[in-house]
Amino acid sequence: MTQSVVVQGELQGRVGTLSLAADRPVPNGYSFSLLSLIAVGQCGNQIGCCFWDLALREHAAVNQKGIYDEAISSFFRNVDTRVVGDGGSISKGKICSLKARAVLIDMEEGVVNEILQGPLRDVFDNKQLITDISGSGNNWAVGHKVFGSLYQEQILEKLRKSAEHCDCLQCFFIIHSMGGGTGSGLGTFLLKVLEDEFPEVYRFVTSVYPSGEDDVITSPYNSILAMKELNEHADCVLPIDNQSLFDIISKIDLMVNSGKLGTTVKPKSLVTSSAEALKKQHQKPFDGMNNIVANLLLNLTSSARFEGSLNMDLNEISMNLVPFPQLHYLVSSLTPLYTLADVNIPTRRLDQMFSDAFSKDHQLIRADPKHSLYLACALMVRGNVQVSDLRRNIERLKPSLQFISWNQEGWKTSLCSVPPVGHSHSLLALANNTCVKPTFMELRERFMRLYKKKAHLHHYLQIEGMEESCFAEAVSSVSGLIEEYKQLDATLGTPVEDLPRLSVAV
Amino acid sequence: MSIVTVQLGQCGNQIGFEVFDALYNDSHCPQGLCSKRENEVYQESCKERFFSEEENGVPVARAVLVDMEPKVINQTLSKAAQSGQWKYGQHSCFCQKQGSGNNWAYGYSVHGPRHEEPIMNLIQKEVEKCDCLSGFFIIMSMAGGTGSGLGAFITQNLQDQYSNALKMNQIIWPYGTGEVIVQNYNSILTLSHLYRSSDALLVHENDAVHKICAKLMNIKQISFRDINQVLAHQLGSVFQPTYSMEGSYHYRRNPLGDLMESLVPHPEFKMLGIRNIPQMCENSLAYSTFTWTGLLKHLRQMLISNSKMEEGINWQVRPPLSGLPPLGKVSLNRELHFNTSIANLVILRGKDVHSADLGGFKDPELYTSWLAPVNAFSAWKTQRAFRKYEKSAALVSNSQFLLKPLDTIVGKAWNMFASKAYIHQYTKFGIEEEDFLDSFTLLEQVVASYCNV
């Protein structure tokens, strides 16, 4: 028996405590969707796999009656598998068989095949998959130009299909890595396709940036070429880097192994995903790292899926956090990274969660928002936290943070009443902050080192449609972005002054 | 006469529920401290205003619920149904699947025109249930996108279609910081549009109500529900029935009309605020006694020193002495000391209400020079006690109280506008820089007018 069937079995079987208003008819049924998740390349699919696993667990924990409700519908379709063909979607009532609102794309078969043989195989069908066997050879141009044109129609077809299944598609989520060929090349190719085909649907991208010691030699090329596409065609980008994820995992490990008084990691929390996960991490650190990113996506969407006293839809993220179209890179942090053993967490610990969200070692990229300039900041809280807790912590932390002159009160907040499974509360902080600049500069430096020597360039230039000007344009796009951040940084420390106002005749 | 309430957006719907709940619970409260007959008349009058009756006897709120996403409306409906005492009409909600994303332009220019017809139809159905319509009470926040943008659009439509009915907008003024980043933009767009289409804006500031929860209600961990309940209490203390004449047991029939007549003497001044006294948690209430003299003395000082609650009143503030040369224009840079009123309405509820001396509110020094106290001050009374308070007083005032918050919001929005930050999010949906400039101009005018009363 596969795991997803187990989860669905639980959804159906358990007598629930979830109370729904009894006599209220559901208007049109739920065929409403927040997002369609598109995983591209090896890294994207590994994270995606983690994500769907967690999403199923989370909804199983919250929805114990097995009724297909609004919250589930934002991630999954409810399908009657007995109906042959396409028409089996059920918009209300009992959960039959859940299908993820996702498209999996990889230009080699390994990871996708693994998923299809694994516990999650039932939440995907082949209509959602696009694979090839040859791979992109860590070459952005192969992914972008070759596979892009080769698969454009097929990808579009599948995306249209997946979009047809929902009457309100809010957001596409793309998960990919920047350093390789498929995720980086084909993933960013997709952005443009989506922009043309679904101009009203937001495009959020989770991009995994290569670390300095990356073993892919051409990763700086791939990343810079991809950055230009992200600059131009994404609404929001959440940059992640592997090194930071690795450091966070090590920190959790240390915490567990040090055996400090009262510090045990809860076995059932989603951060660690299962009791064995911790042990496994020593052999496969990527599992733990992918898990963190998957949690980021869960928390990012929680306030749109579940009830709360202060909701936050996905479209509010870019509305509040993106003051200028190009500056759409958001640094994220998740706290608490591990949950302490006791359940009734006193206020001091709750406040610690807020403090940690701003500290350097909780960021999902190597960046220090506290010592850089904030353009805007969002705090997305889950669990038993009230507006007074939020306000107290904002007041407390504000003096230690620097905000740009015209956005001194640049805070956006949300309160979702459903905590992550196994936790009592959690916080996702998103910062539009100039601290992303060093990551981009470092990447540009590594790019220039290769580019000056024209190293490996021929691998790219032999691809049809790829010219040397592509490289020059890409690096200038990234430089333009860096320059914008620099100019903002230059305002650091200048006193905030009110501008002369309009005067009216009285 | 009846009032039709329109609840818009997350904030409007959450507050609307608490308001109806407070109204219902007060009118069915056994401790009315008055005769059975009087209590019945009071109940009847409250019902006529805010509820219609269905066949099975459960009162149905005269309300239309509008939101652009389904979660909050579903929650609100089921909370009302669970109360078992009153409910919302079966076909009184309109919701969509995608919110306005904190974007005023999206609420106003996209959702508004797109959903105009069904929403206006729902409102019309509600209006048709009233024997006689006094007006509309529109509850919305100004920080987000749906309440603010769609709210401004709907208010404008009501103005076009029901030009004879009064429109009062209950506006939730956002916290100074920490709710929505573009709240100052959304606020100036909302306020400037409402200034053209609404008859009065009744403003509640989240910061002020939050303080009341902390200081007067002694709540440690304050939730939005706590805040909304205080707000609902204040609204109830104003809009529950009062006598139409001194000493009669007839209740005022047109509360909205009477209120506007007393408080909005000039279309340039339509910002109203509520203060109430006493306000405390139930535990303390049992050990407290009040005199009308004491309550009114405090309430008057709250008014002139612009204090939103009883605690921390500045007793140093005095009206400017007559005979001395006028102090000149109020400077916004200086702490605003004396809060000059344009008009005030005091509402007294409870024991010995006829003995209360309201002389302190009739002092000409409290008011602007162009309105005599006899025109600027009115009082409503009833012997029927409000909720558990043996005596209670509420004050609705049109005064300089909002000058500072308004000036701050306009200033912050202006600073942001100068850098052109976030403007692209609005132009995407048809709100151009010109529209912002129009809003700034109108509100600078309002600031100047209130400054110079």
Side-chain angles (χ1 to χ4, degrees):
Chain A
M1 197 187 234
T2 66
Q3 193 180 353
S4 61
V5 171
V6 171
V7 172
Q8 285 159 36
E10 276 176 356
L11 276 167
Q12 285 181 340
R14 216 178 293 163
V15 180
T17 49
L18 187 80
S19 71
L20 291 162
D23 56 351
R24 182 158 37 86
V26 178
N28 310 313
Y30 302 111
S31 51
F32 136 81
S33 152
L34 285 171
L35 59 88
S36 193
L37 192 90
I38 308 172
V40 194
Q42 181 181 352
C43 169
N45 277 295
Q46 281 167 341
I47 294 172
C49 176
C50 250
F51 170 80
W52 289 111
D53 182 35
L54 296 191
L56 272 177
R57 287 169 199 241
E58 181 165 289
H59 283 287
V62 174
N63 178 340
Q64 306 196 325
K65 264 193 177 167
I67 302 291
Y68 184 65
D69 66 5
E70 222 168 275
I72 297 186
S73 79
S74 55
F75 278 165
F76 298 94
R77 287 192 299 135
N78 191 18
V79 176
D80 189 344
T81 40
R82 290 165 302 186
V83 179
V84 191
D86 229 19
S89 283
I90 313 161
S91 59
K92 45 184 155 177
K94 282 264 174 205
I95 289 171
C96 263
S97 174
L98 296 176
K99 293 287 175 205
R101 299 191 191 273
V103 177
L104 314 183
I105 303 172
D106 203 357
M107 292 297 109
E108 49 193 14
E109 294 182 305
V111 178
V112 172
N113 275 346
E114 234 173 85
I115 295 173
L116 290 183
Q117 281 153 23
L120 283 172
R121 65 180 170 215
D122 285 340
V123 294
F124 304 106
D125 58 39
N126 351 345
K127 293 190 214 87
Q128 295 170 274
L129 312 174
I130 295 169
T131 51
D132 199 292
I133 43 168
S134 48
S136 303
N138 289 327
N139 186 334
W140 182 88
V142 173
H144 201 86
K145 306 281 180 184
V146 177
F147 288 128
S149 51
L150 198 60
Y151 283 98
Q152 175 166 6
E153 272 317 304
Q154 204 186 333
I155 292 173
L156 255 177
E157 183 60 30
K158 307 220 166 184
L159 285 172
R160 282 197 204 107
K161 267 263 140 41
S162 89
E164 268 169 28
H165 288 305
C166 22
D167 35 277
C168 187
L169 185 59
Q170 250 193 44
C171 192
F172 285 112
F173 253 109
I174 296 180
I175 316 176
H176 74 144
S177 74
M178 298 289 280
T182 305
S184 162
L186 189 55
T188 54
F189 174 82
L190 215 64
L191 270 178
K192 178 81 177 72
V193 172
L194 291 173
E195 186 178 30
D196 294 340
E197 186 75 6
F198 307 93
E200 303 212 324
V201 182
Y202 284 91
R203 296 170 300 281
F204 279 42
V205 188
T206 304
S207 304
V208 179
Y209 281 69
S211 57
E213 300 89 55
D214 195 71
D215 50 6
V216 177
I217 206 148
T218 50
S219 73
Y221 280 160
N222 297 333
S223 305
I224 292 286
L225 288 163
M227 275 285 291
K228 175 174 184 279
E229 306 298 315
L230 293 181
N231 283 348
E232 290 171 4
H233 306 298
D235 288 302
C236 265
V237 178
L238 305 170
I240 308 286
D241 88 54
N242 272 330
Q243 189 58 46
S244 305
L245 297 181
F246 188 80
D247 293 346
I248 287 169
I249 292 293
S250 314
K251 233 179 119 171
I252 298 176
D253 263 7
L254 196 71
M255 195 77 184
V256 176
N257 294 333
S258 72
K260 253 193 274 172
L261 189 70
T263 54
T264 52
V265 169
K266 252 189 206 163
K268 269 192 183 160
S269 75
L270 282 185
V271 169
T272 48
S273 116
S274 70
E276 285 85 52
L278 268 177
K279 275 182 235 150
K280 267 198 242 155
Q281 269 157 26
H282 297 290
Q283 299 122 34
K284 275 176 93 180
F286 276 111
D287 277 357
M289 288 155 67
N290 292 336
N291 234 314
I292 294 177
V293 183
N295 267 287
L296 164 70
L297 296 177
L298 272 191
N299 289 341
L300 192 68
T301 53
S302 62
S303 185
R305 288 179 288 142
F306 299 116
E307 289 182 347
S309 63
L310 192 58
N311 291 338
M312 181 159 167
D313 260 358
L314 291 170
N315 50 7
E316 292 172 29
I317 294 174
S318 65
M319 180 70 197
N320 283 281
L321 294 176
V322 182
F324 303 106
Q326 274 234 335
L327 303 179
H328 55 233
Y329 293 85
L330 307 179
V331 176
S332 46
S333 65
L334 283 165
T335 54
L337 287 172
Y338 30 77
T339 176
L340 300 165
D342 49 344
V343 188
N344 294 321
I345 296 176
T347 318
R348 193 179 58 79
R349 298 231 174 89
L350 180 66
D351 288 6
Q352 190 62 44
M353 168 175 93
F354 285 92
S355 304
D356 286 348
F358 294 87
S359 90
K360 212 165 109 185
D361 49 3
H362 284 72
Q363 309 301 320
L364 302 194
I365 66 163
R366 271 171 306 156
D368 189 1
K370 232 175 167 165
H371 295 99
S372 307
L373 184 68
Y374 273 92
L375 304 184
C377 181
L379 300 178
M380 304 182 71
V381 186
R382 301 183 64 176
N384 180 27
V385 179
Q386 298 300 343
V387 58
S388 54
D389 301 317
L390 256 179
R391 308 206 61 74
R392 181 182 66 246
N393 280 291
I394 289 179
E395 289 306 320
R396 186 170 65 83
L397 292 160
K398 223 165 82 176
S400 62
L401 308 169
Q402 291 157 301
F403 276 77
I404 193 146
S405 61
W406 43 262
N407 209 9
Q408 288 287 302
E409 267 100 33
W411 297 88
K412 165 73 185 170
T413 53
S414 74
L415 294 169
C416 169
S417 52
V418 178
V421 178
H423 288 248
S424 66
H425 50 237
S426 76
L427 168 66
L428 163 62
L430 297 173
N432 193 339
N433 188 300
T434 57
C435 67
V436 285
K437 190 184 63 184
T439 304
F440 300 157
M441 288 173 74
E442 204 185 296
L443 205 56
R444 183 178 60 176
E445 216 169 280
R446 289 170 50 209
F447 172 93
M448 290 312 287
R449 266 193 300 235
L450 289 177
Y451 188 56
K452 271 183 196 144
K453 289 183 281 179
K454 311 261 182 230
H456 305 286
L457 216 54
H458 63 283
H459 292 299
Y460 290 79
L461 297 179
Q462 70 191 15
I463 306 293
E464 204 190 318
M466 206 52 204
E467 282 157 33
E468 228 183 303
S469 63
C470 297
F471 285 81
E473 281 164 20
V475 79
S476 106
S477 171
V478 175
S479 293
L481 184 67
I482 292 171
E483 198 47 45
E484 284 200 48
Y485 281 115
K486 269 193 182 151
Q487 282 172 12
L488 293 169
D489 265 341
T491 68
L492 253 173
T494 50
V496 179
E497 275 171 20
D498 283 337
L499 296 157
R501 299 252 292 264
L502 280 180
S503 56
V504 288
V506 182
Chain B
M1 286 179 117
S2 311
I3 298 171
V4 170
T5 299
V6 183
Q7 312 179 172
L8 286 143
Q10 172 160 30
C11 173
N13 279 294
Q14 287 173 340
I15 290 170
F17 167 80
E18 298 296 346
V19 172
F20 283 107
D21 211 46
L23 291 170
Y24 182 91
N25 283 325
D26 168 56
S27 65
H28 289 77
C29 174
Q31 293 154 292
L33 301 173
C34 60
S35 71
K36 188 164 170 258
R37 191 180 156 268
E38 195 179 342
N39 210 28
E40 278 167 10
V41 180
Y42 180 88
Q43 252 177 42
E44 202 46 48
S45 176
C46 165
K47 218 184 85 186
E48 187 200 9
R49 281 181 190 184
F50 295 105
F51 297 94
S52 60
E53 196 159 338
E54 267 197 350
E55 280 171 13
N56 57 7
V58 180
V60 177
R62 298 186 193 275
V64 174
L65 297 78
V66 180
D67 202 359
M68 291 299 114
E69 55 111 22
K71 288 199 296 288
V72 178
I73 287 203
N74 287 342
Q75 228 179 336
T76 308
L77 288 178
S78 61
K79 266 186 352 204
Q82 277 162 18
S83 82
Q85 299 175 306
W86 63 276
K87 60 181 182 183
Y88 285 105
Q90 247 186 336
H91 306 289
S92 60
C93 329
F94 180 83
C95 68
Q96 285 294 302
K97 296 180 173 182
Q98 183 169 0
S100 307
N102 290 161
N103 191 335
W104 191 90
Y106 200 82
Y108 185 81
S109 312
V110 179
H111 279 319
R114 193 179 285 168
H115 307 303
E116 176 180 351
E117 210 185 302
I119 295 174
M120 293 312 288
N121 283 344
L122 281 183
I123 294 176
Q124 190 184 332
K125 280 204 188 108
E126 212 48 58
V127 168
E128 284 165 2
K129 284 190 211 158
C130 309
D131 290 337
C132 185
L133 178 70
S134 169
F136 298 97
F137 191 50
I138 303 145
I139 311 180
M140 56 198 259
S141 81
M142 55 178 205
T146 300
S148 70
L150 185 63
F153 181 87
I154 295 294
T155 309
Q156 218 163 294
N157 264 26
L158 290 173
Q159 167 69 4
D160 295 342
Q161 290 186 28
Y162 302 89
S163 50
N164 292 327
L166 293 163
K167 285 148 293 285
M168 171 176 274
N169 291 69
Q170 164 62 55
I171 308 286
I172 308 306
W173 200 274
Y175 285 105
T177 174
E179 268 187 87
V180 171
I181 291 177
V182 288
Q183 65 186 30
N184 299 320
Y185 278 168
N186 290 338
S187 297
I188 61 147
L189 290 164
T190 307
L191 289 172
S192 60
H193 279 74
L194 290 182
Y195 233 80
R196 297 187 191 106
S197 54
S198 174
D199 295 295
L201 315 184
L202 187 56
V203 174
H204 272 100
E205 297 163 82
N206 266 346
D207 278 313
V209 184
H210 194 102
K211 266 187 209 145
I212 292 178
C213 287
K215 296 272 160 77
L216 299 183
M217 308 299 285
N218 270 327
I219 302 169
K220 294 282 173 293
Q221 206 189 16
I222 299 160
S223 67
F224 274 107
R225 180 143 205 211
D226 299 321
I227 289 172
N228 295 341
Q229 282 174 348
V230 167
L231 222 144
H233 179 88
Q234 293 198 335
L235 288 171
S237 71
V238 173
F239 287 102
Q240 282 294 45
T242 50
Y243 302 144
S244 57
M245 273 184 303
E246 193 87 27
S248 77
Y249 288 146
H250 293 114
Y251 281 94
R252 201 170 282 278
R253 299 226 41 228
N254 185 1
L256 270 189
D258 293 350
L259 186 126
M260 308 268 192
E261 202 183 304
S262 334
L263 289 173
V264 190
H266 189 287
E268 184 69 17
F269 303 97
K270 46 171 88 162
M271 303 272 207
L272 310 179
I274 303 182
R275 288 156 226 270
N276 69 320
I277 186 171
Q279 171 97 49
M280 53 178 58
C281 59
E282 258 180 51
N283 295 342
S284 322
L285 191 57
Y287 305 101
S288 312
T289 51
F290 306 100
T291 64
W292 284 117
T293 318
L295 288 177
L296 291 172
K297 189 179 166 201
H298 280 79
L299 190 60
R300 180 180 185 270
Q301 194 63 25
M302 280 162 70
L303 170 69
I304 65 175
S305 66
N306 195 16
S307 165
K308 305 286 158 47
M309 58 176 176
E310 205 185 342
E311 198 174 300
I313 299 177
N314 181 357
W315 287 95
Q316 306 303 317
V317 179
R318 292 260 174 273
L321 287 170
S322 53
L324 289 176
L327 289 170
K329 290 178 187 177
V330 180
S331 159
L332 277 164
N333 301 328
R334 226 163 8 103
E335 186 65 32
L336 185 62
H337 279 309
F338 180 74
N339 178 32
T340 308
S341 301
I342 289 146
N344 288 314
L345 164 67
V346 168
I347 298 131
L348 306 178
R349 301 172 184 277
K351 206 176 159 191
D352 302 328
V353 75
H354 51 86
S355 70
D357 174 18
L358 287 161
F361 289 92
K362 293 175 184 163
D363 183 353
E365 307 298 342
L366 263 55
Y367 299 94
T368 168
S369 56
W370 48 267
L371 215 58
V374 62
N375 297 319
F377 176 72
S378 27
W380 296 353
K381 294 173 188 175
T382 175
Q383 276 203 62
R384 166 57 157 79
F386 183 59
R387 295 182 119 180
K388 289 182 176 145
Y389 295 87
E390 183 196 60
K391 298 187 183 86
S392 66
L395 166 72
V396 190
S397 67
N398 187 347
S399 71
Q400 293 177 311
F401 82 103
L402 207 62
L403 195 45
K404 252 210 152 124
L406 179 62
D407 187 64
T408 307
I409 272 193
V410 174
K412 283 181 186 169
W414 183 250
N415 283 347
M416 194 181 260
F417 184 69
S419 74
K420 302 272 179 283
Y422 295 101
I423 298 295
H424 72 282
Q425 310 267 23
Y426 292 82
T427 50
K428 212 158 52 178
F429 300 111
I431 298 298
E432 306 294 333
E433 285 182 31
E434 295 279 292
D435 298 302
F436 278 90
L437 281 172
D438 286 349
S439 297
F440 281 116
T441 313
L442 189 146
L443 293 176
E444 292 287 7
Q445 181 69 51
V446 174
V447 169
S449 300
Y450 268 106
C451 213
N452 291 303
V453 292

